[in-house]
Amino acid sequence: MPDLTLFKNETQRLLALQALNILDTPPEERFDRITRIAMQVFDVPFAMVSLVDAKRLWFKSSPGFYLTETSRAQSLCGYTILTDEVLVVEDTLLDSRSADKPWVVEEPHLRFYAGIAIKDSQGFNIGTLSILDHQPRTLTPGQISILTELAKVAESEVNAADLSQVTAKLIQSRKQLHQAVSRLRQNEQLNRLRNQVLELIARSEPLTTILTAIVTGVELEYPEMMCSILLMDDTGTKLTLGSAPSMPDFYNQAVDGIAIGENVGSCGTSAYTGKRVVVEDIASHPLWAPYTELAARAQLGSCWSEPITDPEGKVLGTFAIYHQEKSAPSTRDFHLIEQSAALASISIERAQANKLIWQQANFDGLTGLTNRNLMRELLKTSLQNSRRNQQKLALICLDLDHFKAVNDSLGHNIGDELLIECGKRLLSCTRESDTVARLGGDEFLILIPDLKDEALIEDIAGKILSSLSQPFQLQQELVYVSASLGIAIFPDDAADLDELLKNADQAMYGAKSAGRSCFHYFTSGMRASIQNRITLINDLRNAIDNQELRLLYQPIFEIDSQEVYKAEALLRWHHPSRGIISPTDFIPLAEESGLIVDIGNWVFEQACLQVAKWRQQYAKNFQISINTSPLQYRNNTDSSANWLAWLANYRLDADAVTLEITENLLMNDYDQVNQRLAQLRHSGMEISIDDFGTGYSSLSYLKKFHIDYLKIDKSFVQKMSQGSDDLIICEAMVVMAKKLGIKVIAEGIESTEQLQLLKDMGCHYGQGYWLAKPLTVEQFEALLHSNTRYKI
């Protein structure tokens, strides 16, 4: 949404808009005529007279458009009212104010917008006249003048409506004056009823008792009437029975739970519109057409329904008066129904206040999540249902890692904000049927009922770990936390509530013992698998100190000269008992546990040692590229500073080591990554995109990030042959890279034909098993000594 501070007197503008009483009124020909003219004159599919409310854009006239209102934040009209000039967006996809809006990127794919503010009689910009098209376009000065004149016509209609409403109010006031005398006679009766109801409220009687007192009080004073109170349900879409003791049971059963809407009897329509509905003859009125048989059976002749609203105008229910004969309400009757609805409103609001007290007793005051007391009750019910339906349920006990350090270092205000945001993220990771509770402090509980597939547990736990690992922007601080999750399953792990809670808690501590930022099952059937994972992570923690990690180097050949002065460092782990463990198995574990930062730093330092030696012995421009993880570019790591320090320590130029990143890294945390890469490139270090063509990044990022090397993924190179699609793709990559000043390295070369095709298209470098496999330092140096050349 545009910054409202840019519009002076926003509050007065909204009051002026409300005073027009034009919002949410039916379509009118006088406004539709203006929009149809605009559509014909400008040859556009859509033209609109819109009113800009506090949070929404409501269309008074929008022929053929698929919406009647939309969020103000999603509209360009919110910008239009900030000026008296015509706002023209020639191409919505190229304008930052509209490029990501649903009506632009999705149906109906609108690409052009022009609008001008509509003023009320006081000069406030209360709405707009706008035109829209599916294609980008421009407006001539003459067309802008026409649009301005049409807006003035719309303004005159809006202000004419204002004058007619003022007149109507004066007439109504005159009528009310005449009715005052008759109302005085009702006051004594209503005062008695009001005092009775207030006394019931003061005694905290149930809402049903209080509503019945209102209904019977009216019926005692006016025996010809039958009264009914219906309540809006929590969804705001249905009415439920509040009290109607004089109405037939079959009738009450029929209307209990009825959906509100237009043409849904008197009460359904009144609740939907928020307006009084008077039906003098039920048998002939169209609102009652679907219910004439029901009304006839109940011997109902007329029905007047009044919406029960709170002070903000929210509909809480309806108060209705029925007669067995056709009947029109008198002034007295209108006063009666208004006062009765007001009493009902007070009663309902008090009940809602009591409900709030219950809410506070059962929900966490900080996060709004279920608290410990209610969670125990929900667990009892869920366990009963699981036993009855012979289904499993899961319980996840979650504790934030190092939360005390956040509180101690940044203060409790930041700690509270962190807990609130954690609660929101946990809700986003779970199903609607799941329950997230805060037990206290930084401990949370997640109930997963109706567990049909145990894979769901790991899916939810993985989402939680991933979500909580993302940084939290809290005030001016960027905070990082992780979580330890313990999982227990009923009935596999426990037979009752307390045992299930205890086992989930024990599993959580098992996760903490395993190194935190992970989840741990209590389930014995899964223990071996999870223990193996935990053991592997623990072993990986000691791999550097135990000298179990080593680097191999795969030569990168310059295709034209056939020379080798580049190599890619490849990490290998030789486990003392398991043997060689593939990087595809341990790198994800290293990233999940955070060990990738230390391991990555070790790789960088080893590469520095090696490249310093080879630059001295073989080639001054020798270069080693290393693979890096997105985690190494986060602001909470010192990786980039360490890298530059090691280069300086070994007296190496920054271009001695090339950092390989993935395409997807460019799409995530743009500002953070760009800042780190800019710092490294400024020092002279070069950047290479690994596995190019397999990610989802925009090609524009190649220029924005000043990439030095582009490595074509081996999946394209290995399938490349004369006339193949993969050949065309590789050629396109090479041409594009050259235009951007980027050098190209082809991975996965496995044949003479592939190498020849790459040479013909002008590819700079190549690597692959046909040229050379990953080599030990000794093997690589032997290759350099022999001055080996490949042959095509």
Side-chain angles (χ1 to χ4, degrees):
M1 181 187 295
D3 187 352
L4 295 182
T5 61
L6 297 177
F7 192 99
K8 296 180 179 179
N9 303 323
E10 173 69 3
T11 301
Q12 288 83 347
R13 187 191 74 82
L14 292 174
L15 290 174
L17 173 59
Q18 294 297 325
L20 291 172
N21 291 321
I22 195 172
L23 287 170
D24 301 309
T25 58
E28 295 181 68
E29 174 59 23
R30 57 200 179 102
F31 290 100
D32 292 342
R33 188 183 305 114
I34 297 170
T35 51
R36 287 198 300 269
I37 291 172
M39 291 163 64
Q40 293 171 0
V41 169
F42 295 95
D43 191 24
V44 294
F46 303 115
M48 302 170 186
V49 173
S50 310
L51 299 176
V52 183
D53 204 349
K55 294 184 179 180
R56 62 171 179 156
L57 183 72
W58 180 77
F59 306 127
K60 176 61 180 174
S61 176
S62 54
F65 197 60
Y66 73 115
L67 294 174
T68 58
E69 68 178 43
T70 186
S71 166
R72 180 172 172 179
Q74 297 297 332
S75 73
L76 282 172
C77 293
Y79 293 94
T80 303
I81 65 167
L82 300 180
T83 176
D84 294 332
E85 303 296 326
V86 175
L87 173 63
V88 179
V89 179
E90 296 180 351
D91 191 340
T92 56
L93 276 178
L94 302 181
D95 194 301
S96 61
R97 295 170 294 185
S98 57
D100 62 344
K101 299 295 184 286
W103 52 272
V104 175
V105 299
E106 301 171 2
E107 291 293 334
H109 296 292
L110 298 176
R111 296 287 298 279
F112 169 80
Y113 169 93
I116 183 171
I118 296 174
K119 298 179 180 293
D120 76 333
S121 58
Q122 302 176 64
F124 287 104
N125 292 352
I126 51 90
T128 65
L129 172 66
S130 56
I131 57 175
L132 301 99
D133 202 349
H134 295 296
Q135 301 297 328
R137 58 185 293 178
T138 59
L139 289 185
T140 66
Q143 289 175 318
I144 290 177
S145 296
I146 294 173
L147 187 63
T148 304
E149 291 301 317
L150 284 174
K152 291 179 180 178
V153 176
E155 286 179 358
S156 65
E157 293 295 344
V158 168
N159 293 317
D162 188 24
L163 290 174
S164 65
Q165 290 159 6
V166 170
T167 303
K169 288 181 179 179
L170 290 174
I171 295 172
Q172 182 66 21
S173 297
R174 190 176 178 183
K175 289 180 179 179
Q176 290 174 349
L177 183 62
H178 289 295
Q179 294 167 351
V181 175
S182 60
R183 287 184 178 177
L184 287 174
R185 291 194 292 267
Q186 290 179 289
N187 284 344
E188 184 178 354
Q189 298 166 339
L190 289 173
N191 283 337
R192 286 199 303 267
L193 178 58
R194 184 181 298 108
N195 291 336
Q196 179 188 0
V197 170
L198 293 176
E199 184 179 347
L200 293 173
I201 292 175
R203 297 206 306 258
S204 298
E205 293 291 338
L207 180 60
T208 302
T209 301
I210 300 173
L211 297 182
T212 300
I214 296 173
V215 169
T216 54
V218 173
E219 292 176 346
L220 285 172
E221 296 294 340
Y222 305 95
E224 74 278 9
M225 297 180 179
M226 295 178 290
C227 300
S228 166
I229 295 178
L230 300 179
L231 303 176
M232 188 75 79
D233 74 346
D234 292 337
T235 67
T237 61
K238 296 179 181 179
L239 291 173
T240 60
L241 185 63
S243 180
S246 298
M247 302 297 291
D249 289 340
F250 69 86
Y251 183 84
N252 287 337
Q253 292 172 5
V255 300
D256 189 15
I258 192 169
I260 66 172
E262 296 179 350
N263 302 317
V264 184
S266 299
C267 295
T269 305
S270 177
Y272 183 75
T273 62
K275 299 177 181 178
R276 179 185 300 154
V277 174
V278 175
V279 174
E280 299 176 6
D281 183 5
I282 288 177
S284 62
H285 202 285
L287 292 183
W288 281 81
Y291 312 104
T292 51
E293 184 178 342
L294 177 66
R297 184 182 172 195
Q299 298 181 1
L300 304 178
S302 63
C303 177
W304 321 325
S305 182
E306 179 84 0
I308 301 170
T309 60
D310 66 8
E312 285 73 39
K314 179 183 177 182
V315 176
L316 306 175
T318 60
F319 181 88
I321 294 177
Y322 296 87
H323 288 78
Q324 291 186 335
E325 306 296 334
K326 299 177 185 178
S327 179
S330 64
T331 303
R332 177 208 70 174
D333 296 329
F334 283 133
H335 183 59
L336 173 66
I337 198 170
E338 288 172 359
Q339 294 300 310
S340 300
L343 279 175
S345 174
I346 295 171
S347 305
I348 296 169
E349 285 188 81
R350 178 55 184 267
Q352 290 179 340
N354 291 336
K355 184 178 180 181
L356 178 60
I357 295 172
W358 178 86
Q359 172 91 8
Q360 293 172 342
N362 291 278
F363 291 85
D364 179 49
L366 179 65
T367 63
L369 299 174
T370 301
N371 67 11
R372 183 186 298 271
N373 295 333
L374 183 56
M375 185 54 136
R376 285 189 67 90
E377 296 303 316
L378 293 174
L379 263 173
K380 289 178 183 177
T381 302
S382 296
L383 287 172
Q384 291 172 357
N385 292 337
S386 293
R387 291 189 185 98
R388 182 174 58 252
N389 300 327
Q390 296 184 341
Q391 286 185 333
K392 295 183 178 182
L393 68 80
L395 196 62
I396 300 178
C397 184
L398 181 151
D399 188 85
L400 297 180
D401 299 326
H402 309 299
F403 175 74
K404 185 177 183 299
V406 175
N407 260 346
D408 293 343
S409 60
L410 300 178
H412 289 279
N413 288 339
I414 296 291
D416 287 347
E417 289 186 28
L418 176 60
L419 292 172
I420 293 170
E421 292 304 315
C422 283
K424 292 177 181 178
R425 293 192 186 184
L426 291 176
L427 288 173
S428 70
C429 295
T430 55
R431 305 172 302 170
E432 193 171 337
S433 58
D434 302 332
T435 301
V436 179
R438 179 181 175 228
L439 302 186
D442 61 333
E443 190 174 1
F444 297 83
L445 207 61
I446 300 153
L447 170 61
I448 306 174
D450 305 324
L451 187 61
K452 298 179 177 63
D453 183 359
E454 293 186 19
L456 174 67
I457 305 172
E458 190 160 341
D459 179 59
I460 291 176
K463 288 179 180 178
I464 290 172
L465 289 173
S466 175
S467 179
L468 295 184
S469 68
Q470 300 302 312
F472 293 81
Q473 183 68 53
L474 306 175
Q475 298 180 21
Q476 303 302 317
E477 301 290 342
L478 198 61
V479 178
Y480 289 85
V481 296
S482 60
S484 299
L485 280 62
I487 303 168
I489 300 174
F490 173 86
D492 299 2
D493 301 328
D496 57 40
L497 186 151
D498 289 329
E499 186 180 6
L500 188 67
L501 284 168
K502 181 187 69 175
N503 290 346
D505 192 58
Q506 288 180 349
M508 182 268 290
Y509 280 106
K512 284 190 176 293
S513 300
R516 306 176 188 271
S517 190
C518 65
F519 58 87
H520 189 285
Y521 283 96
F522 185 84
T523 308
S524 57
M526 299 180 180
R527 184 175 291 127
S529 167
I530 299 302
Q531 189 59 46
N532 178 65
R533 186 185 186 92
I534 294 171
T535 301
L536 206 58
I537 291 175
N538 288 336
D539 291 347
L540 190 56
R541 294 181 190 280
N542 302 316
I544 295 177
D545 292 339
N546 294 340
Q547 299 182 351
E548 297 168 11
L549 299 179
R550 62 172 178 162
L551 293 180
L552 299 181
Y553 299 90
Q554 186 170 26
I556 299 175
F557 286 79
E558 186 177 46
I559 292 179
D560 283 341
S561 68
Q562 304 181 16
E563 294 181 352
V564 177
Y565 50 88
K566 293 182 185 296
E568 179 180 358
L570 300 171
L571 182 63
R572 296 293 184 263
W573 180 16
H574 191 284
H575 192 277
S577 60
R578 301 176 184 233
I580 298 295
I581 299 179
S582 170
T584 58
D585 292 330
F586 72 82
I587 292 297
L589 293 179
E591 292 184 321
E592 175 187 315
S593 61
L595 293 172
I596 192 64
V597 175
D598 290 337
I599 292 175
N601 287 340
W602 178 87
V603 170
F604 192 96
E605 186 175 17
Q606 295 302 308
C608 285
L609 283 167
Q610 196 60 59
V611 75
K613 178 181 177 182
W614 285 343
R615 280 196 163 200
Q616 185 177 9
Q617 295 180 353
Y618 301 107
K620 293 182 180 180
N621 62 340
F622 204 95
Q623 189 178 62
I624 293 179
S625 62
I626 63 171
N627 294 284
T628 58
S629 166
L631 298 180
Q632 294 173 270
Y633 296 93
R634 287 184 175 173
N635 288 335
N636 65 331
T637 69
D638 297 323
S639 293
S640 58
N642 291 334
W643 297 339
L644 296 175
W646 280 317
L647 288 169
N649 184 55
Y650 294 112
R651 298 180 180 180
L652 288 168
D653 293 335
D655 64 355
V657 178
T658 299
L659 302 176
E660 293 194 7
I661 62 176
T662 61
E663 285 182 87
N664 292 337
L665 175 62
L666 303 182
M667 295 293 290
N668 300 319
D669 302 322
Y670 175 88
D671 292 335
Q672 186 178 135
V673 172
N674 192 26
Q675 182 180 0
R676 286 295 176 97
L677 291 181
Q679 175 189 6
L680 294 168
R681 289 204 83 261
H682 182 72
S683 70
M685 197 173 296
E686 294 185 329
I687 308 297
S688 174
I689 296 184
D690 195 17
D691 302 330
F692 188 79
T694 60
Y696 300 95
S697 68
S698 168
L699 296 179
S700 64
Y701 284 106
L702 294 177
K703 192 64 178 177
K704 290 180 182 178
F705 283 91
H706 303 291
I707 301 302
D708 299 285
Y709 295 95
L710 180 156
K711 299 189 75 171
I712 301 176
D713 186 70
K714 63 183 179 182
S715 62
F716 297 103
V717 176
Q718 291 172 349
K719 297 176 183 178
M720 187 174 59
S721 60
Q722 194 66 47
S724 67
D725 290 341
D726 292 282
L727 175 62
I728 296 172
I729 293 173
C730 290
E731 287 176 337
M733 291 181 188
V734 172
V735 171
M736 174 194 65
K738 285 185 175 181
K739 292 287 185 181
L740 294 173
I742 300 173
K743 296 178 182 179
V744 182
I745 302 172
E747 297 183 289
I749 300 173
E750 294 183 351
S751 70
T752 305
E753 180 188 10
Q754 293 166 1
L755 185 60
Q756 182 63 61
L757 290 173
L758 290 166
K759 182 176 183 179
D760 292 343
M761 70 178 69
C763 182
H764 302 96
Y765 301 98
Q767 71 181 98
Y769 276 30
W770 188 83
L771 297 169
K773 295 181 179 181
L775 306 172
T776 63
V777 171
E778 294 77 12
Q779 292 170 331
F780 200 98
E781 291 179 348
L783 173 70
L784 294 175
H785 277 299
S786 65
N787 199 25
T788 299
R789 296 288 187 271
Y790 58 81
K791 295 181 181 180
I792 297 180

